[in-house]
Amino acid sequence: MAYSRILGTGSYLPPTVLSNAMLAERIDTSDEWIVSRTGIRARHIADEQETTSDLACKAAQAALADAGVAADEIDLIVVATTTPDMVFPSTACLLQEKLGVHGCAAFDVQAVCAGFMYALITANNYIKSGMAKKALVVGAEVMSRILDWQDRRTCVLFGDGAGAVVLGESDEPGILHAKLAADGRYKDILNTPAQIADGKIQGMPYLHMDGPAVFKFAVKALSDIAEKTLGEAGMSKDQVDWLVPHQANLRIIESTAKHLGLPMERVVVTLPEQGNTSAASIPLALDVAVRDGRIQRGQTVMLEGIGGGFAWGAVLLTF
Ligand code: ACO
């Protein structure tokens, strides 16, 4: 059976930066509060005209260039997003059109901040089963569109961006092992409950979060799933060169790393400059660490993250 391996990575951040100080001019918050509770200092915000598929396209083009793969060689596109351009068609179909290719399978995956891992494992299984040879896997979000900018409990936490990988058939193992999980009983502590009905938006169209409840759940779920993934793969934490976590809160990242016994020097953190970009945060962090030379070919990387649903997971791979 073929394996799948990451052939290239790419990412894109919209140029507009919103600092904590700028936020503090608009709402009752402070740089000190945001940094001490979350680790976030700034976030990138998409322009009004920029959509999720625009950000996805730029990240995808960077990943294709890095992999040396032409867009028309891709036979599967999977986009993880919580903020699709429209109800339908899928953002993956819109991305396909923007890339100027036609015909390959394309669909979206919705698992909020865990979405990129769900998308990656879906593409991995397509490749392992022979249904695809080269897949584009993208996490892209314009979280700024679903935030209530008057709600200081949520609007300071999120940012916009996109990250992508090209996953290809390989004789050598790339994706080693993964565990995905979900528990819909926790739907009320993190959600955006709006729906379209009768030609109107019904219900709250902004992100709602019970921060302390999410914090408590996330720390335990992430530690457990990271440990189980390692155990099932027959590997120890000493074999993990890099942890690339979902970037939601520095304290959650630090406590998961501590639980795994990994020093923070082996953890990729992009949160201070990017905030929480939901499904985009893991591929964004991966691309940053690949491009600055920290993550090298042949090294073992663990991805892990959690988001609304709740949905969470961990992926072990050889880069
Ligand atoms: N600036 C100043 N004060 C604030 C702000 C702000 N931006 N936000 C909240 N406060 C106030 C609250 O109003 C409250 O004041 P009160 O006691 O007078 O009512 C006080 O600060 C404490 O509020 P808490 O919500 O209890 O603050 P906490 O210490 O729990 O920190 C935080 C909040 C940062 C959201 C934390 O709970 C957290 O990080 N939770 C996890 C969030 C997370 O990881 N979300 C993403 C995961 S899933 C995904 O990525 C979609």
Side-chain angles (χ1 to χ4, degrees):
M1 186 191 282
Y3 297 105
S4 84
R5 191 159 191 171
I6 292 176
L7 306 180
T9 66
S11 62
Y12 176 74
L13 289 165
T16 302
V17 173
L18 183 62
S19 68
N20 290 350
M22 290 156 89
L23 272 173
E25 285 170 15
R26 301 181 192 174
I27 51 167
D28 182 15
T29 189
S30 66
D31 180 55
E32 193 281 327
W33 193 97
I34 302 170
V35 173
S36 64
R37 301 287 175 121
T38 70
I40 298 166
R41 294 180 183 277
R43 68 288 292 144
H44 292 249
I45 303 292
D47 289 345
E48 256 171 54
Q49 282 78 25
E50 250 178 336
T51 63
T52 294
S53 66
D54 290 328
L55 308 190
C57 186
K58 289 192 167 112
Q61 284 167 332
L64 287 165
D66 186 45
V69 169
D72 61 9
E73 290 178 65
I74 294 295
D75 47 14
L76 171 68
I77 299 175
V78 189
V79 174
T81 188
T82 316
T83 49
D85 291 17
M86 48 181 86
V87 174
F88 71 85
S90 69
T91 306
C93 283
L94 304 178
L95 170 62
Q96 189 202 58
E97 202 251 329
K98 284 180 180 167
L99 288 171
V101 292
H102 311 285
C104 73
F107 58 89
D108 289 359
V109 161
Q110 162 58 302
V112 203
C113 306
F116 182 76
M117 288 178 300
Y118 272 74
L120 189 66
I121 293 314
T122 303
N124 173 53
N125 287 333
Y126 267 72
I127 290 174
K128 278 171 68 176
S129 70
M131 275 185 74
K133 290 196 185 319
K134 286 192 176 69
L136 193 52
V137 185
V138 186
E141 301 279 16
V142 283
M143 294 303 283
S144 59
R145 307 264 157 86
I146 59 165
L147 297 175
D148 175 354
W149 287 98
Q150 298 308 312
D151 179 8
R152 66 179 184 173
R153 290 166 303 164
T154 52
C155 75
V156 303
L157 304 174
F158 296 89
D160 301 337
V165 302
V166 176
L167 197 67
E169 208 180 30
S170 160
D171 295 332
E172 306 278 315
I175 307 286
L176 301 172
H177 192 64
K179 273 193 90 63
L180 301 175
D183 192 335
R185 285 175 299 178
Y186 294 91
K187 65 186 186 302
D188 294 329
I189 60 172
L190 179 58
N191 57 30
T192 301
Q195 54 174 288
I196 298 174
D198 302 326
K200 291 192 211 102
I201 294 173
Q202 311 274 1
M204 169 66 86
Y206 298 123
L207 185 142
H208 154 82
M209 180 172 68
D210 177 344
V214 169
F215 191 95
K216 203 169 143 205
F217 186 86
V219 169
K220 175 149 179 23
L222 287 175
S223 299
D224 286 354
I225 204 154
E227 206 170 88
K228 274 191 199 142
T229 305
L230 272 174
E232 287 179 7
M235 292 174 72
S236 81
K237 64 176 179 9
D238 299 331
Q239 291 169 277
V240 177
D241 297 299
W242 293 101
L243 178 67
V244 182
H246 169 50
Q247 311 282 317
N249 183 308
L250 193 55
R251 290 183 294 148
I252 295 178
I253 294 173
E254 283 169 348
S255 92
T256 315
K258 193 171 165 203
H259 186 87
L260 280 174
L262 283 177
M264 284 305 284
E265 294 73 46
R266 279 159 57 193
V267 181
V268 180
V269 178
T270 53
L271 183 80
E273 307 81 32
Q274 298 179 6
N276 179 350
T277 56
S278 186
S281 93
I282 292 174
L284 263 164
L286 180 68
D287 186 52
V288 165
V290 168
R291 282 176 194 261
D292 70 18
R294 275 179 288 172
I295 296 181
Q296 303 273 330
R297 284 284 167 203
Q299 287 189 322
T300 302
V301 177
M302 176 178 266
L303 317 178
E304 52 92 359
I306 188 161
F310 263 72
W312 65 104
V315 177
L316 259 178
L317 60 90
T318 303
F319 184 70

